[in-house]
Amino acid sequence: MEIKKGIAVSPGIAIAKSLVIDSEDYRIPRRSIMPSQRMAEVQRTRNAFKGAISELTQLESVHDSTEGGKIKDIFAVHLRFLHDRSLRKRITDLVHSESVTAEYAVSTTFREIASHFTKEKDSYISERAADIYDIERRLLRQLLGRKRENLERLTEEVAVVARELSPTQTAGFNKKFVKGIASDAGGRTSHAAIVARSLGIPAVVALEDLTETISGGDTVIIDGNHGIVIVNPDDETIRQYEKYSLEFVELEHKLDAIKQKPAITRDGVKITLLGNIEFPDEAELVLQKGGEGIGLYRTEFLYLNRPTEPTEDDHYQAYAETISVFKHRPVVIRTMDLGADKYTQSRRFAPEPNPFLGLRSIRFCLQNLTMFKTQFHAILRASVLGKVKIMFPLITNLQELMQAKMILRDVMEDLDEDSIAYNKNIQIGIMIETPSAALTASTLARDIDFFSIGTNDLTQYTLAVDRGNELVSTLYSEADPAVLRLIRTVIQDAHKAQIDLHVCGEMASDPEYIMLLLGMGVRTISLTPPMIPEIKQIIRSVTMEDCNNVVRKVLAMNSERQIASFLRDATRKILPEAF
Ligand code: PEP
Ligand code: MG
C-alpha cells in the first residue's frame, strides 16, 4: 500500500481499479494472457522493437542531412536503448513470468526505468526520464497501432490516472464509469480540475510521480476531500474509506435539503448564487443545486473537442439551451477564452512558448475578428430569449475593452440592417483577472455594467505562479495579502461606480473564503454547481458581523499562511462536517 499526497480539487471518495493513460490516451491495463499466448506476445514485442528501430533510423537519416547535431544525438540515444538486448529480455521475461501482454510489460518496464532516472539529483540525468517515456510511447504506438482509447466508451468503473489531463479529455469522461481522477500535474484552478469539479468526479492533482508507481488495474482510493491517493490499499483501509464515503454522501444529502432555501445570512442579507458552466447541459444541474442563474458560461468549450470551428448556429443552439433553463434569470455568456491551456484542435499542435502570457482570450479574439463576430451574432440573437449578459475575459486595459465594444456595435449594426431582433440594452461586463485591470478598475468601470472577478487568473498573474504547474502549486494562494488587496480595491471601485460586482473564480466555490468575500462587500458569487449547497449553508449560518470581523482580522495579517489558517479555523467552526 502506498499513500501519496497531492492537491484535492474535486470533493468525494472513489475506490476503483486504476486506468492509467498517457498523454496520448493510450490505455495500458494489466491484462493476463494464457500461457499458450506467451510466445505470440514475445513476438509482438520483437516486432514492436523492430518497427520502432526502423522508424527511428529513418528519422535519424532525414535529420542527419538537414539539422544534424542535437536531434541526431537524441535519436542515436533512443536507438541505443532499442538495440539493448538486456532491455528487451527484461520485457520478454516479464511476459513469460507474469503472463501479461506485451504493452503491459513494455509500459511497466519503461516506467520502472524512468522512475530511477527521475530520482537522480543530477538534473541532466533526471531529465532523461522524458526520453524514456518517449521511447515507451514509440513502442506502444507500434503495439497498439495508432488507435487511441475512447474514454467516452468505457464499460466498467475506473479511476483515471494520468500524467496530465487536458480540459477536453476531462470533459469527455463519462461520470457513470469514471469514478475518480488522479494526475501527476495540475493545480486547483487548472481547467481540467475545474471541469472535474463541475462533473462532480472526485479528483486529486499534483501527485508528481503517481504514474510511475501505479500500474493499470491496481486498486486505488482517491480522496478528493483531503488530496490523498492510496495505491493498493489493504482491506482495513478500504473498509474505513467505504465508511467515510458513506458519511460524505450523507452530508451531501443533508446539504441538498437546503438547496431551495434562499441564500440569506442570519441577519437577513441576501446573497445571489449563480453557477459556472462549461456546457449547456450543466445549467440544469445549477438549477437543481439551487443556483439562481449562470454567472459564467465558459463558451470556449464549444471549440475544444471538434475539428472545425462551431458555426453561428452551433453557438446559438448552445446559448438557447442554457437560457431555456433560466428564462427570467441572468445568464452571463463569456466570450471565448481560448489559448493558455485551452487550444482549438487546429492550434493544439503549435503551442506558444509562454501561452498564459501569449495570444490568449480577448487578445486572440481581437486578432480573429471573423470568429469573434460569429460569436457576437449568436449571443445577440439569443439575447431576446432571456436575461443574457456579455462578458469579456482577460481585459488588461481600456483600449481592449473599447475595441471589443466597437466590434460588438458593428455586429449590432449588421443585425439592424438585416432586421434581426436583439436586446439593444444588453448588459456588458468584464472579468477582472489581471493586476492591470484591478489597478485601473475605476476607469474601466465607467464603460461597462458589471465586473466579475476571476480570482483564478488574478491570483496566477499577481503572484506570477502558473495555476496548472504542480511544481509551484504551494505558492498559489488566493489568501496572499497582495491578491486580497487587489480584490478589495476592485470591490470598492465597483461600489463607487455603482456597477454590479460578481466573483466567479474558484475562490467563490471554496467554503473557506465565503465569510471574507461577504465581509469585503461581495453580494453575488458564481460557483461550480456541486458546491452551491455547501456555500449556501455557510451563508445561512453567519451574520454580517461575523463576516466583518473576519475581514478586520485578515486585513491586520501580513502572511498568507496566517490568513489561510485563520480562515480555515473560522470556517471549521461554522461547518465542521465539511472538514
Ligand atoms: C478565473 O480566471 O478566475 C476564471 C473564472 O476564468 P477561468 O477559470 O476560466 O480562466
Ligand atoms: Mg480566467
Side-chain angles (χ1 to χ4, degrees):
M1 168 160 124
E2 185 152 1
I3 301 175
K4 298 237 154 230
K5 181 89 184 84
I7 302 174
V9 295
S10 179
I13 312 292
I15 307 172
K17 293 263 185 254
S18 67
L19 170 62
V20 183
I21 55 169
D22 75 2
S23 56
E24 296 187 43
D25 278 6
Y26 286 125
R27 169 189 184 174
I28 320 296
R30 184 191 171 102
R31 200 177 295 141
S32 298
I33 52 169
M34 308 283 285
S36 58
Q37 292 173 300
R38 287 184 204 147
M39 277 323 292
E41 287 304 295
V42 168
Q43 192 51 46
R44 285 184 69 227
T45 312
R46 287 195 188 124
N47 291 346
F49 270 81
K50 228 193 252 168
I53 288 171
S54 101
E55 209 176 84
L56 267 175
T57 314
Q58 209 187 345
L59 279 170
E60 195 194 22
S61 68
V62 174
H63 284 283
D64 198 18
S65 52
T66 52
E67 291 140 68
K70 272 198 176 135
I71 299 181
K72 189 177 161 254
D73 290 349
I74 295 170
F75 289 145
V77 171
H78 287 202
L79 273 169
R80 263 207 302 282
F81 253 97
L82 289 168
H83 280 299
D84 182 345
R85 280 173 181 278
S86 62
L87 171 69
R88 207 176 305 185
K89 183 165 180 307
R90 199 165 144 183
I91 295 170
T92 49
D93 280 354
L94 196 63
V95 172
H96 275 297
S97 62
E98 307 235 337
S99 293
V100 288
T101 57
E103 38 281 57
Y104 179 79
V106 164
S107 179
T108 307
T109 308
F110 272 86
R111 268 149 212 269
E112 263 170 38
I113 300 171
S115 79
H116 289 305
F117 275 77
T118 45
K119 280 184 195 129
E120 285 291 334
K121 290 227 162 37
D122 181 329
S123 68
Y124 178 79
I125 299 177
S126 65
E127 280 162 18
R128 299 285 68 75
D131 288 309
I132 307 293
Y133 286 125
D134 223 28
I135 307 169
E136 179 206 0
R137 267 197 292 275
R138 194 174 292 284
L139 284 168
L140 289 177
R141 268 200 299 270
Q142 292 289 331
L143 285 165
L144 297 162
R146 306 236 161 233
K147 274 190 292 159
R148 302 241 176 106
E149 268 306 319
N150 188 345
L151 293 172
E152 287 163 46
R153 280 205 216 119
L154 291 167
T155 50
E156 55 188 36
E157 294 188 353
V158 293
V160 171
V161 176
R163 156 89 208 117
E164 184 167 18
L165 287 167
S166 72
T168 324
Q169 272 176 314
T170 315
F173 288 164
N174 180 344
K175 205 185 148 187
K176 191 164 158 218
F177 296 113
V178 177
K179 294 289 147 195
I181 296 172
S183 70
D184 293 348
R188 194 165 53 79
T189 62
S190 56
H191 283 100
I194 290 172
V195 173
R197 205 152 40 235
S198 291
L199 292 172
I201 302 177
V204 178
V205 302
L207 288 147
E208 294 185 355
D209 61 355
L210 176 67
T211 51
E212 284 156 30
T213 51
I214 196 167
S215 296
D218 284 349
T219 298
V220 66
I221 296 176
I222 295 176
D223 177 350
N225 297 340
H226 299 100
I228 288 170
V229 168
I230 306 175
V231 182
N232 290 324
D234 56 32
D235 291 347
E236 178 52 26
T237 310
I238 293 182
R239 256 196 308 279
Q240 280 171 4
Y241 265 95
E242 280 170 347
K243 182 167 167 273
Y244 174 38
S245 172
L246 283 178
E247 284 165 8
F248 183 73
V249 171
E250 267 170 34
L251 170 66
E252 282 198 316
H253 283 156
K254 188 179 137 202
L255 290 172
D256 272 358
I258 64 149
K259 65 190 175 192
Q260 297 313 339
K261 295 196 175 148
I264 254 178
T265 60
R266 274 172 45 218
D267 50 343
V269 176
K270 165 84 180 82
I271 309 297
T272 304
L273 297 184
L274 308 173
N276 292 350
I277 61 167
E278 288 76 38
F279 299 97
D281 58 6
E282 288 173 276
E284 195 57 50
L285 181 65
V286 175
L287 186 68
Q288 277 171 25
K289 291 282 174 187
E292 300 165 73
I294 304 298
L296 168 65
Y297 177 3
R298 293 183 164 99
T299 60
E300 60 279 6
F301 277 80
L302 276 167
Y303 295 78
L304 300 187
N305 53 6
R306 58 172 92 205
T308 53
E309 267 175 48
T311 61
E312 181 185 327
D313 222 47
D314 292 330
H315 280 278
Y316 179 81
Q317 295 301 341
Y319 305 152
E321 186 182 337
T322 311
I323 298 161
S324 70
V325 180
F326 288 107
K327 254 195 151 77
H328 307 291
R329 295 292 190 162
V331 172
V332 179
I333 301 180
R334 174 174 80 178
T335 58
M336 61 186 121
D337 186 16
L338 288 165
D341 58 351
K342 289 174 292 192
Y343 277 97
T344 53
Q345 291 299 315
S346 58
R347 283 180 80 210
R348 202 179 133 213
F349 300 106
E352 297 162 85
N354 211 341
F356 276 97
L357 300 183
L359 189 60
R360 181 188 170 188
S361 207
I362 193 76
R363 302 169 185 177
F364 174 77
C365 292
L366 293 175
Q367 287 191 27
N368 290 276
L369 292 189
T370 315
M371 257 170 117
F372 203 19
K373 285 185 170 183
T374 301
Q375 180 166 35
F376 278 151
H377 267 268
I379 299 176
L380 288 172
R381 277 175 53 213
S383 67
V384 293
L385 305 175
K387 254 178 111 177
V388 175
K389 303 180 187 194
I390 291 190
M391 178 160 78
F392 300 127
L394 207 79
I395 292 289
T396 48
N397 58 45
L398 185 61
Q399 192 185 334
E400 277 169 347
L401 170 60
M402 289 314 191
Q403 274 178 282
K405 281 181 70 172
M406 196 179 71
I407 296 157
L408 179 65
R409 264 198 307 274
D410 281 353
V411 175
M412 286 178 166
E413 281 169 19
D414 291 346
L415 293 181
D416 285 336
E417 275 172 27
D418 295 338
S419 306
I420 297 175
Y422 64 92
N423 175 7
K424 289 192 167 40
N425 299 316
I426 189 166
Q427 284 204 1
I428 299 171
I430 60 169
M431 294 193 67
I432 302 287
E433 306 188 272
T434 60
S436 61
L439 293 167
T440 55
S442 58
T443 312
L444 295 167
R446 291 184 204 133
D447 289 282
I448 39 141
D449 301 297
F450 65 95
F451 284 154
S452 188
I453 308 181
T455 54
N456 306 335
D457 278 315
L458 185 60
T459 305
Q460 137 166 286
Y461 293 124
T462 304
L463 303 178
V465 175
D466 180 342
R467 60 195 263 193
N469 183 343
E470 74 281 11
L471 301 177
V472 287
S473 58
T474 50
L475 304 176
Y476 183 100
S477 171
E478 295 92 337
D480 190 284
V483 177
L484 295 180
R485 223 173 271 183
L486 285 180
I487 292 174
R488 194 153 170 262
T489 305
V490 177
I491 297 169
Q492 287 171 343
D493 285 345
H495 288 170
K496 268 187 226 147
Q498 297 185 330
I499 62 167
D500 283 347
L501 175 107
H502 307 176
V503 177
C504 68
E506 294 309 298
M507 190 179 185
S509 305
D510 188 337
E512 293 173 21
Y513 289 110
I514 297 306
M515 283 196 276
L516 181 68
L517 289 175
L518 264 52
M520 288 204 284
V522 175
R523 296 292 176 266
T524 303
I525 63 176
S526 188
L527 62 156
T528 185
M531 290 304 291
I532 294 174
E534 191 166 328
I535 298 299
K536 192 180 276 185
Q537 172 71 357
I538 293 186
I539 293 168
R540 292 174 58 83
S541 311
V542 299
T543 62
M544 280 318 298
E545 199 189 330
D546 297 332
C547 299
N548 294 338
N549 281 337
V550 165
V551 174
R552 205 168 312 119
K553 288 192 178 132
V554 164
L555 290 182
M557 295 175 188
N558 294 317
S559 97
E560 181 274 333
R561 270 206 188 162
Q562 198 185 6
I563 296 172
S565 118
F566 167 74
L567 291 176
R568 194 165 310 126
D569 290 345
T571 316
R572 197 192 298 261
K573 280 183 201 140
I574 304 290
L575 195 62
E577 306 97 295
F579 292 81

